[in-house]
Amino acid sequence: MPRYLSLVRIEENTIDLASADPGFEERMGALFEEITKAGVMLDTAGLKPTAEATRISWSDGKLSYTDGPFTETKEVVGGYAMMQCKDMAEAIEWGKRFLEVHPKHWKVGLEVREVEEMPEG
């Protein structure tokens, strides 16, 4: 079965767990339990803020390093999920359900991409 990487996109510094509605953590826990029992979730995690990150770039044969925070970026990857689904439609359905768990006043997006498997040998 193919694997799908779901990148959680957020506007950094606009999401605060203290602003979540009272049932948010329970809803998220129930969804994670369901997706894990379904055998879909392979791995998931949130990421630390970009203030603790470094970008490494390669251009003209040289490496350059930029320490965060990345103020020029409005939207950052705030987390990820690696899922194993029968097809893109199933991966999108799980992604839709993940987003619907969040408080209505938060801005959260997903980028769902199939993992390109390397040929064996």
Side-chain angles (χ1 to χ4, degrees):
M1 262 200 314
R3 293 181 302 154
Y4 295 87
L5 180 63
S6 178
L7 300 169
V8 181
R9 298 210 174 259
I10 61 169
E11 289 184 23
E12 197 166 46
N13 301 321
T14 64
I15 293 181
D16 177 12
L17 283 178
S19 74
D21 57 273
F24 170 64
E25 290 186 29
E26 291 78 17
R27 292 190 311 271
M28 188 63 74
L31 178 64
F32 279 8
E33 184 176 334
E34 182 182 353
I35 195 170
T36 300
K37 283 182 178 177
V40 170
M41 185 67 74
L42 301 177
D43 188 30
T44 189
L47 300 176
K48 292 204 172 200
T50 62
E52 300 178 39
T54 299
R55 286 185 178 161
I56 306 170
S57 300
W58 175 259
S59 180
D60 295 324
K62 294 179 184 162
L63 291 170
S64 63
Y65 303 86
T66 306
D67 290 331
F70 308 122
T71 55
E72 75 281 1
T73 305
K74 181 177 168 121
E75 201 176 69
V76 299
V77 176
Y80 71 92
M82 180 67 74
M83 303 178 293
Q84 192 163 26
C85 302
K86 65 182 181 216
D87 55 25
M88 178 64 90
E90 181 185 13
I92 289 171
E93 179 61 27
W94 283 112
K96 178 186 82 113
R97 292 185 58 199
F98 170 78
L99 289 176
E100 290 174 340
V101 165
H102 288 80
K104 292 182 186 333
H105 65 280
W106 285 10
K107 289 186 178 181
V108 182
L110 289 181
E111 179 179 332
V112 180
R113 298 175 65 179
E114 185 172 351
V115 175
E116 188 169 352
E117 302 294 345
M118 300 298 291
E120 292 186 31

